[in-house]
Amino acid sequence: MRRVEVLPYNPVWQERFREESGHIRHVLSKNITEIHHIDSTSIPNIWAKPIIDIMVEVVEIHEVDQQQSSMEALNYEALGEYGIAGRRYFRKHNQEGIRTHHVHMFQVGSGQIERHLAFRDYMIAHPKDAQAYSDLKQELARAHPTDIEAYMDGKHEFITTMDKRAAQWRKDHSTTIL
């Protein structure tokens, strides 16, 4: 079983994102349109599992399948869609076997891109909700230190609620350029 560990926010996470996204951009350059730091390590001042989540927007998702060996050369394990249609998911572990990175690739226009970015941006703009999320993760990690499934299940309702708020917030705050 994987240990559930959440740590206080660490600004080093931003540097790890920048470094790793540079490697990914180098090997998949022609297919990439944008690379984003997402999920808890991208939200300042909240506790998180110290795993850097990277979302890559690509021109053609099926081309990622042909570029899989390039990701494997960066020590990523390819897991295909891994439960989300249209995604290509990769994960990386360090030499001690500890997971360090998740990469989620979606084709430009996927609703998953907007959902992830809305959640991140909403949490940054709403520190009280971000703190509630941080507190929940700490509580769940203490309650389920060796049960990642229980930890994830415990966050599900909160994330669903925040996803709805974030989508509405994004809609209310979007601007149209005429």
Side-chain angles (χ1 to χ4, degrees):
M1 284 195 149
R2 236 174 71 212
R3 179 142 181 82
V4 179
E5 178 182 40
V6 292
L7 301 174
Y9 178 77
N10 188 338
V12 168
W13 295 337
Q14 296 296 327
E15 182 54 37
R16 289 184 185 156
F17 161 74
R18 282 189 293 277
E19 181 179 306
E20 198 65 22
S21 64
H23 297 311
I24 294 166
R25 186 173 296 281
H26 179 73
V27 300
L28 302 180
S29 61
K30 294 177 184 172
N31 197 24
I32 292 175
T33 61
E34 296 287 335
I35 301 179
H36 308 277
H37 189 183
I38 60 169
D39 291 343
S40 296
T41 59
S42 70
I43 303 166
N45 304 315
I46 72 168
W47 287 56
K49 292 189 316 278
I51 301 169
I52 309 305
D53 279 274
I54 299 170
M55 184 174 63
V56 180
E57 293 184 58
V58 297
V59 175
E60 178 54 58
I61 196 67
H62 297 293
E63 195 173 308
V64 172
D65 299 330
Q66 296 162 355
Q67 297 172 307
Q68 183 173 308
S69 62
S70 296
M71 289 297 287
E72 290 169 347
L74 295 176
N75 297 314
Y76 279 95
E77 174 186 14
L79 296 168
E81 289 186 328
Y82 204 68
I84 299 177
R87 171 176 74 169
R88 297 303 181 270
Y89 175 69
F90 298 84
R91 64 185 178 197
K92 184 177 196 175
H93 298 81
N94 64 18
Q95 292 179 338
E96 293 80 37
I98 298 168
R99 190 162 312 156
T100 59
H101 296 80
H102 296 152
V103 176
H104 314 262
M105 295 190 189
F106 296 100
Q107 187 165 308
V108 171
S110 167
Q112 290 291 331
I113 295 168
E114 181 61 24
R115 184 183 71 79
H116 282 285
L117 295 178
F119 182 88
R120 180 200 65 195
D121 295 347
Y122 176 85
M123 286 297 188
I124 291 170
H126 296 86
K128 287 183 183 178
D129 285 336
Q131 186 58 53
Y133 188 37
S134 182
D135 294 345
L136 174 62
K137 292 189 298 173
Q138 290 173 70
E139 177 185 317
L140 290 168
R142 281 190 301 272
H144 308 287
T146 59
D147 188 347
I148 191 69
E149 294 303 321
Y151 172 83
M152 299 300 285
D153 289 346
K155 297 189 320 176
H156 180 75
E157 185 178 333
F158 183 90
I159 291 171
T160 300
T161 299
M162 290 301 114
D163 274 341
K164 290 176 185 170
R165 285 185 192 172
Q168 186 62 50
W169 174 78
R170 178 80 102 194
K171 182 180 172 187
D172 293 346
H173 290 86
S174 64
T175 57
T176 304
I177 300 173
L178 300 175

